[in-house]
Amino acid sequence: MGERSERHPQRANSLEYVGQPPKEPPLKSDQNDEPAKTAATPSRESSTKSKRARPKSMEVEDAAPVRPSTPKTDTPTKSTAKTPTATKALPPNILLPCFTSTYKLKDNPSILKQIAQLLLRTQQPSAKHVYLTREPPRIKKAIAIGVHGLFPATYLRPMIGQPTGTSIKFANHCAEAIRRWADSHGCEECEIENVALEGEGKIGERVENLWKLLLNWIEQIRNADLIMIACHSQGVPVSIMLLAKLIELGIVTTAKVGVCAMAGVSLGPFPDYRSNLGILMGTAAELWEFADPKSEVSQRLEASVKVVLAHGARITYVGSIDDQLVPLESAIYAPLHHPYIFRAVFIDGRIHAPNFIAHLVGFALKLRNLGISDHGLIRELSTPLAGSLYSGEGHSRLYDDPRFTTSPSRTLETTDLPGKKALEGEMKHWGGNGELSSETAELVGEFDDWRPVTKALKDVKYRLEAVRSKL
């Protein structure tokens, strides 16, 4: 073997795994110096056995630590690139109508008009709505209160939603909205107190129990410049009654007050569910009594709302366009008329894209905000727009997007009325308003292109054909 290896040294190198180091290093040093310097001693000996095959393996070993890092950097880049595209594909959540497009700045009367009003002692017509104020007040102390809705049974929570922790969520959303408004209006030093009121039961029981909890913050409420309350479902009448009690006892006097009422049961849930769910829902069976204007809870709510509005509080009624439990007519408290009430509809971007029916509802609510009758349009659309009782999320999805609903702008950036009581007068025709006329023309064009899918919405389009023919 020794002689054969001397005669045929190359054949011995190709057959044996352990080779002669004296002859191979010069070849390696000529071909590739950098791998020889970076590799360890055992790898240098093993690399000298094959002249060309082993250097390839060394290149693979050198490239191996680089290759794993490449997919790691590329993989998140691809996933992050896909995520925005998936998000952009869904339209954003919308709140209609827009607050800034509904109200305008009030024009100051000229000197001649002021003199004529003074000499002739003419009485100005009652205002149908508020205007945007030119100088919002400065806020030094604010308090944000959250009141949750109904505590349903376990088997009903997939339909109604999980109420646990929503009071804290509402209070935090209000506090964040107040902080954003204060920072943008030069009130960076505003002190904000969070209050989460939790307690289940019937409406009367909740008012008594939550009032006892609210006594712990009486001094903060008394000294606050701004009081914001965010409430949901059954918590809406509870919050209104608590606020009326604070006003009647003289605890709230000069503070600005705003209420964000989300999916409130002011007129009760859908009446069709009473026979099926009324018995099973326990304390929730009381909610259907709001549909009767002569019931005790309905009259108590109406009296409390009058006290709150007489104080000058702003109430924002927000309903979901596909609420599966509360009709839109009930969420916006349709029978009530007052300039301090702002009504809006929440449209979930994941399910509904802005179309004719969404713009129609937003336009009808804009008319209501301007003191113009919608001629019962919201009442007619409430039932066809109802979401699925088992798969719908409109009732609980509403409070997940607090960007618009808890905004304090509707409380702090609107003018006060000369009178505190509810103002009712003759309805003026809105056809002469240029902005409303242009929106009407857009709605007519969208109506012609509207292709409803469900039977209920097809019936709506059939009934609206009569209105379309008169335009």
Side-chain angles (χ1 to χ4, degrees):
M1 291 295 294
E3 295 177 358
R4 292 179 182 177
S5 61
E6 291 177 359
R7 295 178 182 177
H8 306 283
Q10 296 179 355
R11 186 179 301 176
N13 286 336
S14 61
L15 293 174
E16 295 181 6
Y17 185 78
V18 180
Q20 301 289 337
K23 297 182 180 180
E24 294 298 328
L27 296 176
K28 289 299 292 181
S29 60
D30 295 338
Q31 293 178 358
N32 193 358
D33 294 339
E34 295 179 358
K37 293 179 182 179
T38 57
T41 306
S43 62
R44 183 183 299 176
E45 293 179 358
S46 60
S47 63
T48 56
K49 308 309 180 290
S50 61
K51 295 179 180 179
R52 297 182 179 178
R54 295 306 294 173
K56 292 181 180 179
S57 64
M58 290 181 66
E59 292 176 0
V60 173
E61 291 175 1
D62 293 341
V66 181
R67 286 183 182 176
S69 61
T70 323
K72 288 180 181 178
T73 54
D74 294 341
T75 304
T77 306
K78 294 179 180 179
S79 63
T80 52
K82 292 180 180 180
T83 305
T85 55
T87 307
K88 292 179 181 178
L90 294 175
N93 300 331
I94 301 176
L95 192 75
L96 295 176
C98 181
F99 168 71
T100 55
S101 65
T102 302
Y103 301 130
K104 305 297 181 182
L105 289 171
K106 185 176 183 180
D107 297 332
N108 295 326
S110 62
I111 298 177
L112 294 178
K113 288 184 178 180
Q114 294 179 9
I115 296 175
Q117 292 175 0
L118 181 62
L119 295 177
L120 301 176
R121 295 181 181 181
T122 57
Q123 185 178 3
Q124 295 181 356
S126 59
K128 305 296 182 182
H129 60 86
V130 295
Y131 295 88
L132 296 179
T133 182
R134 298 181 184 274
E135 297 181 357
R138 298 187 63 84
I139 303 300
K140 297 181 180 180
K141 293 183 179 181
I143 184 168
I145 303 175
V147 182
H148 64 77
L150 177 70
F151 273 4
T154 305
Y155 55 87
L156 293 175
R157 291 181 183 179
M159 295 180 285
I160 301 179
Q162 301 292 336
T164 306
T166 50
S167 292
I168 301 176
K169 179 186 293 187
F170 298 160
N172 292 336
H173 287 172
C174 270
E176 293 172 359
I178 295 173
R179 174 56 58 192
R180 289 192 299 266
W181 189 93
D183 293 342
S184 61
H185 289 77
C187 304
E188 293 81 1
E189 299 179 357
C190 178
E191 300 177 3
I192 304 174
E193 183 79 16
N194 289 28
V195 178
L197 301 179
E198 294 185 351
E200 56 181 322
K202 292 186 177 181
I203 292 178
E205 298 172 352
R206 291 193 63 188
V207 172
E208 295 180 2
N209 296 333
L210 297 185
W211 174 257
K212 296 176 182 178
L213 296 176
L214 201 60
L215 293 177
N216 299 322
W217 290 275
I218 288 298
E219 291 300 324
Q220 289 85 342
I221 296 175
R222 194 185 302 271
N223 300 327
D225 302 320
L226 172 64
I227 301 173
M228 285 288 297
I229 303 177
C231 44
H232 176 256
S233 189
Q234 186 203 31
V236 171
V238 173
S239 301
I240 296 294
M241 295 176 188
L242 285 174
L243 182 57
K245 193 171 184 179
L246 289 172
I247 296 173
E248 291 175 341
L249 294 178
I251 300 174
V252 176
T253 54
T254 60
K256 292 285 186 178
V257 181
V259 180
C260 176
M262 299 175 286
V265 288
S266 302
L267 300 178
F270 283 104
D272 296 340
Y273 298 155
R274 184 170 188 173
S275 58
N276 298 329
L277 299 177
I279 301 177
L280 302 175
M281 297 182 71
T283 57
E286 179 191 25
L287 302 180
W288 278 275
E289 297 181 9
F290 283 104
D292 183 9
K294 297 182 180 180
S295 63
E296 182 181 355
V297 291
S298 182
Q299 292 181 354
R300 185 178 180 183
L301 174 61
E302 183 179 355
S304 300
V305 169
K306 290 181 179 179
V307 173
V308 171
L309 293 175
H311 175 75
R314 272 62 165 179
I315 304 178
T316 301
Y317 287 105
V318 184
S320 182
I321 198 171
D322 60 340
D323 197 315
Q324 71 273 25
L325 286 174
V326 179
L328 186 60
E329 178 190 14
S330 176
I332 65 171
Y333 207 171
L336 188 62
H337 299 271
H338 199 279
Y340 285 157
I341 295 177
F342 183 84
R343 294 177 169 91
V345 60
F346 174 81
I347 302 172
D348 189 355
R350 304 176 308 169
I351 304 174
H352 298 278
N355 55 7
F356 165 75
I357 198 67
H359 293 160
L360 179 63
V361 174
F363 180 72
L365 295 179
K366 186 175 183 178
L367 294 179
R368 293 296 308 270
N369 295 334
L370 295 176
I372 304 172
S373 174
D374 64 341
H375 301 284
L377 180 61
I378 297 298
R379 182 178 64 253
E380 296 296 331
L381 293 177
S382 295
T383 301
L385 293 177
S388 173
L389 182 61
Y390 300 98
S391 60
E393 299 180 1
H395 189 67
S396 57
R397 172 69 176 167
L398 174 63
Y399 53 74
D400 289 335
D401 193 344
R403 293 176 297 171
F404 313 106
T405 53
T406 57
S407 175
S409 300
R410 291 180 287 271
T411 303
L412 300 173
E413 299 181 19
T414 54
T415 58
D416 295 328
L417 297 176
K420 295 288 186 179
K421 61 181 181 179
L423 302 177
E424 295 182 0
E426 59 182 7
M427 299 297 178
K428 61 180 179 180
H429 193 266
W430 50 269
N433 191 315
E435 182 180 355
L436 296 180
S437 300
S438 61
E439 292 186 22
T440 305
E442 294 178 4
L443 281 173
V444 171
E446 293 179 357
F447 175 77
D448 296 335
D449 299 334
W450 183 39
R451 299 292 181 269
V453 179
T454 62
K455 181 180 182 299
L457 292 180
K458 288 181 180 179
D459 294 340
V460 171
K461 185 172 184 179
Y462 175 76
R463 284 180 285 178
L464 289 178
E465 287 286 354
V467 181
R468 170 69 177 86
S469 61
K470 297 181 180 180
L471 295 177

